[in-house]
Amino acid sequence: GRACVIICNKWDAVLDKDSSTYDKSVKYFRTELPQIRWAPILFVSAATGQRCGKIYDAVDSAIVAHRRRISTSVLNEVLRDAVLWQPPPSRRNGAQAKIYYASQVSTRPPTLVVFVNDPKLVNDNYRRYLDRKMRESLDGFESTPIRWMFRGRRVRDVTRNMNGTPGDGGSGTSFPFPHAI
């Protein structure tokens, strides 16, 4: 994935501009290009020079976002809030994804690995939900894709890394997701 800024030229050629023209244009591009819904949109005019100076600022911010790194604690805090707000959906047989923790493993683009009990239980809708919550909660990811990787992790491996055993009176919680075990 690459950083992206959508630049629309010929803004001076748009006739009968009113207060809603900009919003309608943004909505049009968001519906036509849903795969890059995270990219900022600039409307410029090369002929008149209108907003051409903002192009380099937008490109520079896209580069910074593409190289951005988040600490694991902040990432897990945002992920925990998203999971508490909307838990992963369960299947008809009662199976539900349990999210243990997440970590950023790479930049260019930012790549997040989320450890879950079974990656197949995390459907595409929930992945898009987590992506949206991450972008809403953290500034600086407006012009770059976020690559999500879901890896399976057995309960035994998670409990092995805990201080204590589950049910021993509080020292055995799986931080930051106490409901995961």
Side-chain angles (χ1 to χ4, degrees):
R2 299 283 181 207
C4 181
V5 178
I6 301 171
I7 300 173
C8 303
N9 194 13
K10 307 286 186 187
W11 189 244
D12 58 332
V14 176
L15 301 174
D16 299 328
K17 285 186 269 195
D18 59 4
S19 60
S20 66
T21 305
Y22 175 80
D23 293 331
K24 288 178 185 175
S25 301
V26 168
K27 185 177 180 183
Y28 171 78
F29 281 106
R30 295 286 181 226
T31 56
E32 290 296 316
L33 302 169
Q35 59 273 24
I36 52 173
R37 63 189 171 277
W38 39 262
I41 301 174
L42 284 176
F43 294 97
V44 300
S45 171
T48 63
Q50 181 183 20
R51 290 189 211 91
C52 286
K54 293 184 178 183
I55 293 174
Y56 290 112
D57 294 335
V59 169
D60 289 340
S61 68
I63 291 170
V64 169
H66 202 60
R67 297 176 179 170
R68 175 127 192 248
R69 185 168 289 279
I70 336 168
S71 69
T72 302
S73 61
V74 172
L75 179 63
N76 281 315
E77 185 177 334
V78 170
L79 193 62
R80 184 195 69 217
D81 290 343
V83 169
L84 289 176
W85 185 261
Q86 179 69 48
S90 57
R91 295 220 173 140
R92 290 183 186 206
N93 62 359
Q96 184 178 20
K98 293 180 183 174
I99 297 177
Y100 299 123
Y101 68 95
S103 179
Q104 183 176 356
V105 295
S106 175
T107 59
R108 299 182 188 182
T111 304
L112 308 177
V113 175
V114 181
F115 290 92
V116 297
N117 58 344
D118 186 3
K120 291 179 278 195
L121 294 175
V122 182
N123 60 17
D124 288 338
N125 289 335
Y126 199 71
R127 291 172 194 236
R128 283 192 298 273
Y129 163 76
L130 291 177
D131 187 74
R132 183 172 48 88
K133 284 299 182 184
M134 190 68 61
R135 291 178 190 280
E136 288 175 359
S137 301
L138 298 173
D139 292 331
F141 288 110
E142 290 82 20
S143 51
T144 186
I146 299 175
R147 184 176 296 154
W148 292 84
M149 298 168 60
F150 290 85
R151 290 196 183 149
R153 181 120 189 232
R154 295 179 297 211
V155 175
R156 183 179 60 116
D157 294 338
V158 172
T159 57
R160 184 180 304 156
N161 295 334
M162 293 175 14
N163 296 329
T165 58
D168 66 351
S171 67
T173 59
S174 175
F175 181 79
F177 303 102
H179 64 282
I181 294 182

